[in-house]
Amino acid sequence: MPTCRPAWNVAGATMASHFWEFCQCLRWCLFTWLTFFLDMQAASIPDYRGPNGVWTLLQKGRSVSAADLSEAEPTLTHMSITRLHEQKLVQHVVSQNCDGLHLRSGLPRTAISELHGNMYIEVCTSCIPNREYVRVFDVTERTALHRHQTGRTCHKCGTQLRDTIVHFGERGTLGQPLNWEAATEAASRADTILCLGSSLKVLKKYPRLWCMTKPPSRRPKLYIVNLQWTPKDDWAALKLHGKCDDVMRLLMAELGLEIPAYSSYDMVHYGHSNQLRQARAMGDYLIVGVHTDEEIAKHKGPPVFTQEERYKMVQAIKWVDEVVPAAPYVTTLETLDKYNCDFCVHGNDITLTVDGRDTYEEVKQAGRYRECKRTQGVSTTDLVGRMLLVTKAHHSGQEMSSEYREYADSFGKCPGGRNPWTGVSQFLQTSQKIIQFASGKEPQPGETVIYVAGAFDLFHIGHVDFLEKVHRLADRPYIIAGLHFDQEVNRYKGKNYPIMNLHERTLSVLACRYVSEVVIGAPYAVTAELLSHFKVDLVCHGKTEIIPDRDGSDPYQEPKRRGIFRQIDSGSNLTTDLIVQRIITNRLEYEARNQKKEAKELAFLEAARRQAAQPWGER
């Protein structure tokens, strides 16, 4: 029989020595696995078995409100676990959650067993091995108990895809993401089991995870963090009554480990969209890997957008078929084979690791690399510089000011000079480029023509969320986006807005899968002539303030008079102003980033030049 162990409150002074013992045990253990059912309130997700949990309320006959798990983000505990895994203190995570937050936190797929599935993964069971599709949206909208088909089909064999969720009364049979084999292997080798936030009412039924075939003295030490009683409390070496985030914050401090922040395209702009357009034209199905914040910070510097923002932004580009979150920074043959890719594509600029290696070296040598042309006149470096300088030279058409000229000559420039891809250059719009981005389709009978207007500056996830909501307003929407002239945007936004000029903003919006047409230089007021010309059925605007026209009138008075005006809440609080504020807050880091990046690239170019100059016999 197990010995009953004391339970200690995290806030209690008497628990200090026991908590220290727990820290030491984790520090020196050889193999740890965690069963993970997090304090979900911290992740903006309702808990399930707590006093006010979903299952508890349903059993009492009370209603529960729906939660949008796509809005959830990894918590301090998720990020702590990822860091502990990096430090080899945690070897494997066994999760009952279906929210995919461990994957978003940067934890490798091989280190996770999602026993009840992942609501963002659907699979083709006809393909051998099963082909996985990792989505940025919930794939379970049409699925239920014993009904797992999602309504989408495999791009390779055409078979109906299914979700990966294991409902009550079902037995999970999928290899991934359930990963039962890795979970039982980890349990058999574990020195320590740490249970975070789980009621253990379901997990107690899985004897293989508790090493019950071993004598008690040889079983892993069990530590439990939970605010409630669990059926495993009597087996625990220590039970901590506390919230997961509180305990993990103390643990990481005791171990002297920094908790990474949850904040590859470090910023998504029309240059990236053009690369994706070219890449899609080379094949039949485009899979885009997006790096984590940590990977980008390690190899390039601080990212402008968070990884979750970049996932959504890339998925919204109309040439993208699938997004792979947490993609490795160095592309290997193993990665291509994992996602059944024939080859990978990148622009004709250089991407280097933190130690100066070409990130595509392996696939290039194997002949599975293709290159597309980089879009001239745009770079993240240039856009960041525009945000840092309060000047309008990038959109006003006036003679470049001395301040902007100095910036153009020096921003991000390392002492050794300037490489061909970094820095400021002028974007030249052509009719051919617009044709390449435009759909070329006119509204068809039965389609609902919806008009939206604005600056759409630094096209970001707030714009995407708004356009997606607008797109859902009709069964067959045809969305026309009106883009205001630069001078008009500057009138109502001030400072150095817009950061992107009209031509750049046009391509950014045209690349969005929800937009059918763009009016370049649309009038600020939505007039009767405009509505009649485009046969507009509905006019939409976000929840942001509507600035009066130059004469003080409401620019939407005509659609309001006709009863066709709607205000749409995107649900996102991200604005162009907030993006600029991120840049200003981290100004020194971004400037240092650009200098380091350019120094690495120049060193690489010089090495390549020297190698090319050597006689063949000396290479």
Side-chain angles (χ1 to χ4, degrees), residues 34 36 74 77-87 90-95 100-114 260 292 294 307 311 325-327 338:
L34 294 97
F36 204 83
T77 303
H78 285 98
M79 303 311 297
S80 298
I81 297 307
T82 299
R83 179 51 53 86
L84 289 171
H85 178 266
E86 291 172 357
Q87 298 295 315
V90 167
Q91 300 295 324
H92 202 78
V93 172
V94 176
S95 175
L101 293 182
H102 286 299
L103 191 60
R104 297 188 207 177
S105 73
L107 199 65
R109 292 289 302 277
T110 54
I112 313 170
S113 292
E114 295 173 298
T292 62
E294 188 173 14
Q307 59 197 38
Y311 296 155
K338 178 180 179 181

Side-chain angles (χ1 to χ4, degrees), residues 481-497:
L483 271 62
H484 300 144
F485 281 114
D486 296 335
Q487 292 81 357
E488 193 66 60
V489 176
N490 188 249
R491 177 187 69 82
Y492 62 79
K493 288 283 290 182
K495 298 180 182 177
N496 59 332
Y497 294 117

